[in-house]
Amino acid sequence: MTQRVLIAGAWRDADAPAGTFRAVDPATGEETGPAFPTSSVADVEACLAAGAAAAVALADVHPARVAAFLDDYAARVDADAPRLAALAARETGLPVEPRLLRVEIPRTTGQLRQAAEAARTWSFAHPIIDTRAGLRSCFGPLAKPVLVLGPGNFPFAFNAAAGGDFAAALAARNPVIAKAHPGHPATSQALAEHAAAAIGAAELPPATLQLVYDVPAAVGLALAGDARLGAIAFTGSRRGGLALKAAADAAGVAIYLEMSSINPVFLLPGAVAERGDAIAEELAASCTLGAGQFCTNPGLVALVDGPAAERFVAETARRFAAAPPGVLLGRGVRDGLEASLAELTGVGARVVAGGRRPDGPGFRFSPTLLATSGRTFLSRRAALQREAFGPASLLVLAADADELAAIAAALEGNLTSAIYSASDGRDEDLYRAVARALRARAGRLLDDKMPTGVAVSPAMAHGGPYPATAHPGATSVGIPAAIRRFVALHGYDHVRDAHLPPVLRDRNPGDVWRSIDGRWTKEDVS
Amino acid sequence: MTQRVLIAGAWRDADAPAGTFRAVDPATGEETGPAFPTSSVADVEACLAAGAAAAVALADVHPARVAAFLDDYAARVDADAPRLAALAARETGLPVEPRLLRVEIPRTTGQLRQAAEAARTWSFAHPIIDTRAGLRSCFGPLAKPVLVLGPGNFPFAFNAAAGGDFAAALAARNPVIAKAHPGHPATSQALAEHAAAAIGAAELPPATLQLVYDVPAAVGLALAGDARLGAIAFTGSRRGGLALKAAADAAGVAIYLEMSSINPVFLLPGAVAERGDAIAEELAASCTLGAGQFCTNPGLVALVDGPAAERFVAETARRFAAAPPGVLLGRGVRDGLEASLAELTGVGARVVAGGRRPDGPGFRFSPTLLATSGRTFLSRRAALQREAFGPASLLVLAADADELAAIAAALEGNLTSAIYSASDGRDEDLYRAVARALRARAGRLLDDKMPTGVAVSPAMAHGGPYPATAHPGATSVGIPAAIRRFVALHGYDHVRDAHLPPVLRDRNPGDVWRSIDGRWTKEDVS
C-alpha cells in the first residue's frame, strides 16, 4: 500500500502519476519498507494553498503556544526514540548506537526545545525601542510558509519535518512545507506523525506542517519559484541548490542554501613538528566518523612539505588504511564519491590510502587519502576543490610557507577552516597570513581542532561565503541566529501601545532582553 | 573638459567610448555644468580590481580608524554645505532652503557620524560569546567591495558616495564602488572629493571609495554580476532593480534593493468622522512635500465611502488643486509620472485634482489626486498598484468595512502602511483586521501618521516584503541594522584569545554591548 502524504492537516493519498519508490537499506542494497509516492504538482499546489492560509493564522498565534507545541513534539520524539532510531538505521546505514540514539535524536529534540525557549523569550525578535523617535521594531513571522528540503546525512537533526530548519521556521511562527529526503521516507513519516499529533494537541493550524516525500525535479523547481513561499531552506548538493536558487531568485523568494564545503585544515610547521602524530589521529578520526558524511568533513589538509610532513602523511595513511570501509548513505553517495575521486585523481591527486570499493553487499567505500603538491593545487585550483562527499581527504603539500599562504588565498567559500599552530608561538607570523585569507573564505574558524563537531549554540556560525551557502551573514545552526533567516523586520512608527505586539509594548512581557534607547535591558519602558 | 572618475585612489580620465553627458537644471530644462563621462567596462574592471584589493586591506584596519574617517568626512561636508546645496539644487530642482541645507545635508552627515559611532562601539558586530561551548561569533567585513547605486531623489542622504548605504558599507569596513545617479553628477563628484581627502587623511586604502557617474546598461549588469563584489545596494525603479537582481543572483552576490512602494494609508471610518479635514491637510502636505518624490509618498489612500468620505475627498482635492506644481527631478521623472497616470486612468481611476503639465519651462507637474472604487481596485489590483512617482495619490473608496479589509489583503509588498483610527476606540475591530493584512505587506506600520518622515533611528524599518525590496528582514535606514546587510558572520571555535578580533576577546575593548552566555553586558569575560 502506498503511503500517504500530509497535506492541510490530513494524511491523504498523494497525486503521484510519476509513481512510487521504496527506501534502500544501504548495508544490503535491498529495498526496505513500504512504497512512498512521488508527488505531482497538484500535491504541491495543495500544500501551497493550505500553507499560505496557515501562515496568516499562525502569525497571529501567541509565541507561547508555538513553544508548547515544540516542547511537546520533542517529548514525543524522545519517547519514541528507540523505534525511530531503528527505522532510520535501516534507511541510512547509520548506527543506532551511539550515533542515532545517543547523539542525533537528543540533538534534534534539544534543538526543538531551544527553539521553544527562543519563542517563549522572544530572543529571535531582537526588539529595539527608540522612545525619543517614537519608533519600535522587532522581527516577526514572514506570514508565508517556509519550504524546507532536508539532506540525506542527518535523518533527524536536519530532517525537513523535525530538524534545525524546521525548528527555526516554527519558532518564528511560520508553517513548514517539508520535502523529505527520499533516502529516509519512513523516518520522515514517523516524525511527521508525531508533529501532527502535537499540532493537534496545541490547536495550531492543521497545515503548520505538511509533508511530501519526493517530487520530480521540474515540480520541485516550480515549488521553489512560487511567490506564495516566504523562504526556502535547502541542505544538499551544489547542483541541486543552485537550480533551486535560480527558481527562487526569479520569484523574489529568499533562499538559504548549504551546498558544499571542503573545510580546509591548515597545519602550520610548528604544529606538525610538535604534535604531528596526534593531529594525524584527529584527522583520521574526523574524516572517518560517520563515514565522512558530514558537511564539515575535513576534505582538504594543507601543510608544508619536509621530513615532518612526510611522517605526518605516513601516519595518516596508516590510520586511513586501517579504518574499515563504512556503510554509505546510499548508492548515490557512493557513486558520487567515486566520480569525485576519479576527477581529483584525473587532475593531479594521487591515492595514498584507500580509494577502492570493497567486495560484498551494500554501499561501502574505503576511507581514502589523496595527496598533491601545492604547485599542482594552485594550477588546478577549481578542479581540486571539488567536494568528495564521504570518507575522503586531499593532502596538499606546499613547497614553503609562502605557498601555504597562497593556497589559503586560492580557496572558495567554505563552512569552516581550521588552523593548527604550535603552542610556543613560533607559527604566529604564518598564522596571521593564513588566517587573514581564511577569515574571508569561511564561516567558522577553528584553532587546533577538527571541524566535524557542530554545537547548537547561540555563538555557532554554520554558514559561509558563496558557494558554501547563499548568504554570508546567515547560519543554519544556532538559536536564535538560525531563526533570523525566516523573519520579516516589523517597524512600528508612533503605534499605540495596545496595537503593538507584546514584545514591543511598554511593559516587558516577561524576562525579554530588549534594546531600549541603546541599552540592553529586561526592564519596562519607563 | 570631461570630468574625471575616481578609480584606485586617483582622479583619472575615464574610458568613455559611449560618450559624455551633462546634468540638466530641471527648473529650466537647460543643461548645466561640465561634461561627465559614461564609463566603459574597462573603468568598471579597474574599479573591481582595486576594490578587491582595498577590501582585503580594509578588513584588517581597526574600526576606530574607519570611524575617524567617517567623522572627518562628515565635518568636511558640513563645512562646505552651502556650496554643495547650491550645486545639488541646480542639478535636482530641490530647494536649498530648507530641504537641502537644513534637512538633507544634516541628515547625511548625521548618518556618517552614527556610522562612525557604530564602528567605534562595534554595535554592528553583534558579538555573541558562549564560554561553555568555546564558541564566539560576530559580524565582520565582507572582505569584498560593495557596489552602491544611488537614486535621483536624495542627492545627499542616499548618494552612492555619501549616503546611508555608503555609510553602512564603510562602517563594516567594506570599500564602496559608487555608481552615481546621472541626475546629479557634479554633486556626487564634490562629495567624492571630500571623501577622497578624508580617506587620505585617515590613511585608509586609496580605493576605499571609487566613483563612476554613469555606465551603459550592459556594463552595469556585467558589474552587478561580478563575483568579486561582496554585495550591492540599489535604490531606484523596479525595472532597473530587477535587472540588477537577476545579474547579481546568478553570480551569488547578495543584493539589497529598494524598488517601489505605494505606501497605502487606511483611513478608518471613525477617524474620518472625527478629524477628516485634519487628515486631508496631512495627506496633501505629505503628498506634495518635495513634489512627492519620496519612496514613502502616500500613493494609495483607502477609506469607506459615504458622506464623511465625500467631504474628505473634496477637502483633499481642494488642497491638491491649490498646491503649485512642483519642479520634478528631471525629464525622466515627469515622463514616468505621466505614463503612470495614463495607465492608472486607463484602468479605472479618475482624476479628481491636478493631472496636468503646466505651461512654462522645465519639468513640473500639478499635484494629482485620483480616485476609484474599491470594487474597481479589487478587479484590477495589479494595474492599480502601479507606482506614480511624484506628487500623486489614488483614493480608493470601499463600499464597506469588509471591502476595506479586502483591499488591504490585496496589496503587494510596500515599505510602509499607515492606519488612521478613531481616538475613542470605535474603529478597533476594523483596525485589527486591516492591521493583520498590512503587517504582512509592509516594513513599517504607522498609527495616525503619514509615512513620509524616515528618521535615522536604530528602531527604523525602511524595508519590506518583495517587490518593495529584495529581502523582508533588512532595512536601508537605521544604524546598526542597515550595516548588517554588508557583513559576514564570523564564527570562532576554540580560537585562542590573541587570535580573536578585539570585540570577541575576554577583555571588552571598551563600552561594547556583548551577549555572554545569554546575558547582554559590557563586562569582560570572567
Side-chain angles (χ1 to χ4, degrees):
Chain A
M1 198 190 76
T2 302
Q3 299 301 295
R4 291 175 158 182
V5 290
L6 177 61
I7 296 180
W11 292 96
R12 67 191 214 190
D13 289 335
D15 182 67
T20 63
F21 69 100
R22 295 176 65 201
V24 174
D25 182 339
T28 64
E30 305 292 328
E31 288 190 334
T32 179
F36 288 88
T38 295
S39 281
S40 75
V41 75
D43 279 1
V44 160
E45 176 59 38
C47 285
L48 285 163
V56 172
L58 203 53
D60 258 2
V61 167
H62 194 283
R65 274 179 57 206
V66 173
F69 154 71
L70 291 165
D71 280 337
D72 183 30
Y73 185 16
R76 290 170 192 261
V77 171
D78 277 341
D80 195 25
R83 183 183 73 98
L84 292 168
L87 205 51
R90 198 154 59 237
E91 293 188 320
T92 64
L94 295 169
V96 168
E97 296 269 9
R99 162 68 186 263
L100 294 172
L101 194 58
R102 305 294 160 199
V103 181
E104 194 178 332
I105 290 180
R107 177 197 163 132
T108 306
T109 54
Q111 278 178 168
L112 291 168
R113 291 190 179 96
Q114 281 196 34
E117 184 67 7
R120 200 176 282 115
T121 62
W122 299 86
S123 67
F124 71 98
H126 200 70
I128 310 284
I129 296 174
D130 181 340
T131 60
R132 287 175 290 261
L135 292 165
R136 303 183 183 208
S137 74
C138 66
F139 291 122
L142 293 167
K144 291 180 172 186
V146 173
L147 170 65
V148 180
L149 302 105
N153 62 337
F154 279 95
F156 297 106
F158 283 78
N159 193 291
D165 289 331
F166 170 87
L170 256 293
R173 306 202 302 287
N174 304 291
V176 165
I177 298 173
K179 207 289 283 174
H181 192 281
H184 45 259
T187 306
S188 302
Q189 179 187 43
L191 288 167
E193 283 168 350
H194 288 305
I199 288 166
E203 297 182 8
L204 296 184
T208 292
L209 170 65
Q210 302 181 91
L211 173 71
V212 297
Y213 307 99
D214 187 34
V215 289
V219 173
L221 296 181
L223 173 56
D226 197 293
R228 283 171 289 184
L229 292 178
I232 301 173
F234 166 87
T235 307
S237 72
R238 190 186 294 188
R239 201 174 59 127
L242 292 181
L244 290 167
K245 173 169 152 55
D249 286 342
V253 176
I255 182 163
Y256 295 91
L257 305 163
E258 191 198 310
M259 291 188 283
S260 59
S261 186
I262 57 172
N263 306 296
V265 176
F266 280 71
L267 309 179
L268 306 193
V272 177
E274 184 181 86
R275 56 189 201 279
D277 288 6
I279 298 171
E281 181 66 32
E282 284 181 55
L283 172 59
S286 176
C287 193
T288 57
L289 182 74
Q293 299 167 114
F294 293 105
C295 42
T296 52
N297 183 60
L300 185 146
V301 180
L303 67 169
V304 177
D305 209 353
E310 277 172 32
R311 181 187 167 95
F312 174 81
V313 173
E315 286 294 317
T316 306
R318 191 168 64 76
R319 289 170 170 84
F320 270 63
V327 176
L328 300 176
L329 292 161
R331 182 187 301 274
V333 169
R334 187 197 60 191
D335 293 353
L337 176 59
E338 288 182 342
S340 288
L341 294 175
E343 167 144 343
L344 291 168
T345 52
V347 291
R350 64 194 163 83
V351 177
V352 179
R356 58 186 191 77
R357 182 200 289 198
D359 296 334
F363 309 114
R364 290 174 169 83
F365 205 84
S366 57
T368 300
L369 191 65
L370 306 176
T372 194
S373 69
R375 188 175 161 184
T376 301
F377 181 83
L378 289 171
S379 69
R380 295 169 183 171
R381 56 187 71 185
L384 284 167
Q385 289 181 68
R386 173 165 174 158
E387 184 182 30
F389 188 79
S393 194
L394 170 65
L395 300 173
V396 181
L397 293 153
D400 53 29
D402 286 348
E403 194 170 270
L404 195 74
I407 291 164
L411 295 169
E412 291 187 339
N414 277 283
L415 295 172
T416 73
S417 287
I419 308 175
Y420 282 72
S421 58
S423 56
D424 64 5
R426 73 188 120 152
D427 286 327
E428 288 305 292
D429 286 349
L430 184 54
Y431 182 98
R432 274 188 290 277
V434 169
R436 181 184 297 124
L438 295 180
R439 180 66 287 173
R441 290 169 175 79
R444 177 166 54 110
L445 275 190
L446 304 97
D447 266 8
D448 310 301
K449 187 166 178 286
M450 290 291 159
T452 27
V454 182
V456 183
S457 153
M460 175 49 69
H462 191 62
Y466 185 88
T469 81
H471 199 295
T475 176
S476 65
V477 176
I479 288 171
I483 304 172
R484 296 201 180 126
R485 297 171 298 163
F486 307 127
V487 295
L489 179 59
H490 285 172
Y492 296 88
D493 191 336
H494 291 84
V495 168
R496 305 179 197 173
D497 200 69
H499 292 166
L500 290 167
V503 72
L504 290 180
R505 291 184 192 157
D506 284 352
R507 180 161 174 206
N508 191 311
D511 215 34
V512 176
W513 282 106
R514 310 192 295 181
S515 176
I516 301 178
D517 296 332
R519 193 168 70 88
W520 284 97
T521 176
K522 292 185 173 181
E523 294 167 13
D524 295 337
V525 175
S526 56
Chain B
M1 199 188 78
T2 303
Q3 299 300 297
R4 291 175 157 182
V5 291
L6 177 61
I7 296 181
W11 291 97
R12 67 190 214 190
D13 289 334
D15 182 66
T20 64
F21 69 99
R22 295 176 65 203
V24 173
D25 182 340
T28 64
E30 305 291 330
E31 289 190 333
T32 178
F36 287 88
T38 296
S39 281
S40 74
V41 75
D43 279 1
V44 160
E45 176 58 38
C47 285
L48 284 164
V56 173
L58 204 54
D60 258 2
V61 167
H62 194 284
R65 273 179 58 206
V66 172
F69 155 71
L70 290 165
D71 280 338
D72 182 30
Y73 185 16
R76 289 170 193 261
V77 170
D78 277 341
D80 196 25
R83 182 182 75 98
L84 293 168
L87 206 51
R90 197 154 59 237
E91 293 188 319
T92 64
L94 295 169
V96 168
E97 296 269 9
R99 163 69 187 262
L100 294 172
L101 194 58
R102 305 295 160 197
V103 180
E104 195 178 332
I105 291 180
R107 176 196 163 134
T108 306
T109 54
Q111 279 178 167
L112 291 168
R113 292 190 178 96
Q114 280 196 33
E117 185 67 6
R120 201 176 282 116
T121 63
W122 298 86
S123 67
F124 71 97
H126 200 71
I128 310 283
I129 296 174
D130 181 340
T131 61
R132 286 175 290 261
L135 293 165
R136 303 183 183 207
S137 74
C138 66
F139 291 121
L142 293 167
K144 292 182 171 185
V146 173
L147 170 65
V148 180
L149 302 105
N153 62 337
F154 279 96
F156 297 106
F158 283 79
N159 192 293
D165 289 331
F166 169 88
L170 256 292
R173 306 202 302 287
N174 305 291
V176 164
I177 299 173
K179 208 290 282 173
H181 192 281
H184 46 259
T187 306
S188 301
Q189 179 187 43
L191 287 167
E193 283 168 349
H194 288 307
I199 288 166
E203 295 182 8
L204 296 185
T208 292
L209 169 66
Q210 302 181 91
L211 173 71
V212 297
Y213 306 99
D214 187 35
V215 289
V219 173
L221 295 181
L223 173 57
D226 196 293
R228 283 171 289 183
L229 292 178
I232 302 173
F234 166 86
T235 307
S237 72
R238 190 186 294 189
R239 200 174 60 127
L242 292 181
L244 290 167
K245 174 169 153 54
D249 286 343
V253 175
I255 182 164
Y256 294 92
L257 306 163
E258 191 198 311
M259 290 189 284
S260 58
S261 186
I262 57 171
N263 305 296
V265 176
F266 280 71
L267 310 178
L268 305 193
V272 177
E274 184 181 85
R275 55 189 202 278
D277 289 5
I279 298 171
E281 181 65 32
E282 284 181 55
L283 172 59
S286 176
C287 192
T288 57
L289 182 74
Q293 298 167 116
F294 293 106
C295 42
T296 52
N297 183 60
L300 185 145
V301 179
L303 67 169
V304 177
D305 209 353
E310 276 172 33
R311 180 185 165 94
F312 173 80
V313 173
E315 285 294 319
T316 306
R318 191 168 62 75
R319 287 170 171 82
F320 270 64
V327 177
L328 300 176
L329 291 161
R331 182 186 302 275
V333 169
R334 187 197 59 191
D335 293 352
L337 177 58
E338 288 183 342
S340 288
L341 294 176
E343 168 144 340
L344 291 168
T345 52
V347 290
R350 64 192 161 84
V351 176
V352 179
R356 56 183 192 80
R357 181 199 290 197
D359 296 334
F363 310 114
R364 291 174 168 83
F365 205 83
S366 57
T368 300
L369 191 65
L370 306 177
T372 194
S373 70
R375 187 175 163 186
T376 300
F377 181 84
L378 289 171
S379 69
R380 294 170 184 172
R381 56 187 72 185
L384 284 167
Q385 288 181 69
R386 172 165 176 159
E387 184 182 28
F389 187 79
S393 194
L394 170 65
L395 300 174
V396 181
L397 293 154
D400 53 29
D402 287 347
E403 194 171 89
L404 195 73
I407 291 164
L411 295 170
E412 292 187 338
N414 277 283
L415 295 172
T416 74
S417 287
I419 308 175
Y420 282 73
S421 59
S423 56
D424 64 5
R426 72 187 121 151
D427 286 327
E428 289 305 293
D429 287 349
L430 185 54
Y431 182 98
R432 275 189 290 277
V434 169
R436 181 184 296 121
L438 295 179
R439 180 66 288 173
R441 290 169 175 80
R444 177 166 54 110
L445 275 190
L446 305 97
D447 266 8
D448 310 302
K449 188 167 178 287
M450 289 292 158
T452 27
V454 182
V456 182
S457 153
M460 174 49 68
H462 190 62
Y466 185 86
T469 81
H471 199 296
T475 176
S476 65
V477 176
I479 289 170
I483 304 172
R484 295 200 181 127
R485 297 171 297 164
F486 307 126
V487 294
L489 178 60
H490 286 171
Y492 295 88
D493 190 336
H494 292 83
V495 168
R496 306 178 197 173
D497 200 67
H499 292 166
L500 291 167
V503 72
L504 290 180
R505 292 185 190 156
D506 284 352
R507 181 161 173 205
N508 190 311
D511 215 34
V512 176
W513 281 108
R514 310 191 296 180
S515 176
I516 301 177
D517 296 333
R519 193 168 69 89
W520 284 98
T521 175
K522 292 186 173 180
E523 293 167 14
D524 295 338
V525 175
S526 55

